[in-house]
Amino acid sequence: MGLTSRALEYVVVLFAVLCVALTAWLWPRLARTGPLTVVGRLGTIAVTQTAVLCAFALAINTNFEFYGSWNELLGHVDKAPAQVTALGATGPNSAALAAPGGLVQPAGPQGLDTIKDLPRGAADEVGRVDSVRITGRRSRAINPAFVYLPPQYFQKQFHRQRFPVIVAISGYPGGIMNLAQHLRVPQTAAGLLSANKMQPTVIVMLRPTIAPPRDTECVDVPSGPQAETYFVKDLPEALKRTYRVGHDPSAWGALGYSSGGSCALQLAMRNPGVYTSAAALSANYQVGNDLTTGNLFGNGPAGERRKQGHDLLWRLENLPQPRISVLVASSRQGENDYGDTMKFLAAVKPPMTSAKIILDQGSHHFTTWRREIGPALQWMSGQLTFPQDTTPNKRKPPTKGKPGEAKATPPSATEPGKVTH
């Protein structure tokens, strides 16, 4: 029986119930004195508690798909990078590849100092990861973030060059440490860049909620947190004021896993004038209310319309499709979103284009997402336009130390990642 099969769950639950019943029946006999009865009582308690815990753990895993198979539970998993299958035209990069503003401020390490395998050395050779806080001028939200700056950002020949930007969003309730430590976004990007499989790109790592512990799901809540406003207005404004990043939407993409992947798709499909690419690993395609979100949309007909507007399958069927590129990733076995993922892909039509990563097996955790993040970054690099605009020449080179300020140094052009058609 498979690890996530209902048959196994029912068998284990039945065994736990039998253990409890048997314990109750045997307990009077085990109440006698003597070493054997003491051992019997201890053994009965241990077996019963283990059976009950296993039943609960199995039920939780079956519902949330943390482990999709016995091999995954035991660590016997395929760790080879996944493969992207293109379903539509690729982006424009088939061959090519600030002075700090008050909205972005340096922060403490925020855990960054505990990650041992980040690129280390001279910034113009290995790049740099900044730990910052990003303030939303309209939403009034203040979010922690890590910002990966590629080595080319600091190289002399590119001191006026702007760079494409990827907004990487963690799942909920995870934070930015998950992106850097477990998903290894900056490490993977640095490896792809050094292998000429990705163009130099600024990557901004954030959590999806702007009002923790509430899960805001990148939604503007009526009379509540304005999460969508933060990601589509405040964040681009803050980054453009602080870092040398492209000002045209063709240089901007969003990427995420789990609820962060849902956010990435929502941001691009609802705001194609801000994000023209999105990559989503294990995403949901509808946003709903639950105990962690509260009421995201309000009540009455207006609330229902707002909720419908965040149903991506409904949008594909009923609204003009945006001119964006999307990549979605799922697994045939181990992911609850596989059916909706295939429905989503089937509904995509021009001018929107799509690509997919479909694993034979992979559950809702970082072992799966680490297989997908490299191909996803490489794919997105092929979608984003390397900006043609440059910064004004009148500004003096910034001094080292503040976000986006190190001695300007630019990126060497790299080949984009190859995509399997």
Side-chain angles (χ1 to χ4, degrees):
M1 287 182 285
L3 181 60
T4 59
S5 70
R6 290 294 178 186
L8 178 63
E9 182 182 356
Y10 296 151
V11 168
V12 174
V13 169
L14 179 61
F15 178 72
V17 171
L18 289 175
C19 284
V20 172
L22 190 61
T23 299
W25 182 67
L26 289 175
W27 200 255
R29 300 184 183 187
L30 296 174
R32 301 167 187 167
T33 59
L36 290 180
T37 55
V38 171
V39 172
R41 288 196 296 270
L42 293 175
T44 301
I45 292 171
V47 171
T48 301
Q49 290 188 340
T50 300
V52 171
L53 287 174
C54 286
F56 274 110
L58 196 61
I60 292 171
N61 184 69
T62 301
N63 187 52
F64 291 101
E65 299 280 0
F66 293 119
Y67 296 94
S69 68
W70 293 106
N71 283 334
E72 284 190 349
L73 180 64
L74 298 173
H76 304 148
V77 294
D78 185 0
K79 296 184 179 179
Q83 187 177 69
V84 175
T85 303
L87 302 177
T90 58
N93 285 329
S94 298
L97 232 199
L103 299 176
V104 179
Q105 292 293 330
Q110 301 183 124
L112 199 62
D113 54 340
T114 66
I115 304 175
K116 304 303 182 185
D117 59 346
L118 288 173
R120 302 196 185 278
D124 59 352
E125 295 178 359
V126 299
R128 192 177 77 199
V129 181
D130 288 341
S131 176
V132 300
R133 296 187 308 272
I134 303 177
T135 299
R137 188 167 60 85
R138 301 165 187 81
S139 63
R140 302 297 180 186
I142 302 176
N143 252 359
F146 295 146
V147 181
Y148 168 73
L149 302 170
Q152 292 83 359
Y153 190 92
F154 305 97
Q155 293 169 2
K156 185 177 180 181
Q157 65 269 36
F158 293 99
H159 72 279
R160 293 180 55 211
Q161 178 65 56
R162 300 189 192 276
F163 292 81
V165 57
I166 294 174
V167 175
I169 309 171
S170 72
Y172 176 87
I176 55 176
M177 275 293 289
N178 284 348
L179 291 163
Q181 185 173 40
H182 299 301
L183 195 58
R184 307 185 75 253
V185 170
Q187 301 92 319
T188 304
L192 290 171
L193 187 56
S194 64
N196 292 331
K197 293 181 177 180
M198 180 178 176
Q199 63 180 332
T201 304
V202 172
I203 303 177
V204 184
M205 291 160 270
L206 300 117
R207 62 192 182 191
T209 178
I210 67 166
R214 185 177 185 179
D215 181 9
T216 50
E217 289 279 347
C218 294
V219 171
D220 278 353
V221 181
S223 302
Q226 302 295 288
E228 186 172 24
T229 294
Y230 180 86
F231 279 98
V232 303
K233 293 182 179 178
D234 291 340
L235 180 64
E237 175 188 48
L239 295 175
K240 290 171 185 177
R241 285 188 181 188
T242 307
Y243 295 98
R244 300 196 319 275
V245 296
H247 286 200
D248 190 84
S250 63
W252 283 72
L255 173 151
Y257 67 88
S258 191
S259 57
S262 305
C263 277
L265 290 176
Q266 294 276 344
L267 294 174
M269 289 185 65
R270 290 174 53 85
N271 305 277
V274 180
Y275 298 95
T276 55
S277 300
L281 316 180
S282 305
N284 290 319
Y285 300 93
Q286 300 91 14
V287 177
N289 296 325
D290 58 30
L291 291 176
T292 65
T293 65
N295 189 341
L296 293 173
F297 307 105
N299 301 315
E304 286 302 313
R305 286 194 297 272
R306 281 190 285 267
K307 183 176 180 180
Q308 192 174 59
H310 286 272
D311 183 334
L312 300 185
L313 295 173
W314 181 89
R315 295 183 70 89
L316 289 178
E317 294 292 342
N318 295 278
L319 299 178
Q321 299 206 2
R323 191 178 296 276
I324 62 170
S325 301
V326 297
L327 167 71
V328 292
S330 187
S331 306
R332 293 183 180 88
Q333 179 184 346
E335 282 282 16
N336 286 330
D337 74 329
Y338 175 71
D340 282 346
T341 296
M342 302 313 292
K343 291 178 184 177
F344 178 86
L345 291 170
V348 171
K349 297 178 178 63
M352 187 171 167
T353 62
S354 62
K356 65 181 179 180
I357 297 173
I358 302 296
L359 302 178
D360 289 332
Q361 183 174 288
S363 300
H364 202 79
H365 56 62
F366 287 102
T367 302
T368 299
W369 299 325
R370 278 195 296 269
R371 295 182 60 196
E372 298 166 342
I373 186 60
L377 286 170
Q378 192 174 346
W379 172 87
M380 183 161 282
S381 181
Q383 313 308 307
L384 302 181
T385 300
F386 199 82
Q388 300 301 306
D389 57 331
T390 57
T391 59
N393 200 20
K394 59 183 179 182
R395 198 186 75 197
K396 293 182 179 180
T399 58
K400 189 175 181 180
K402 294 183 180 179
E405 269 196 319
K407 271 193 177 179
T409 28
S412 54
T414 60
E415 269 186 359
K418 294 182 179 178
V419 178
T420 304
H421 293 266

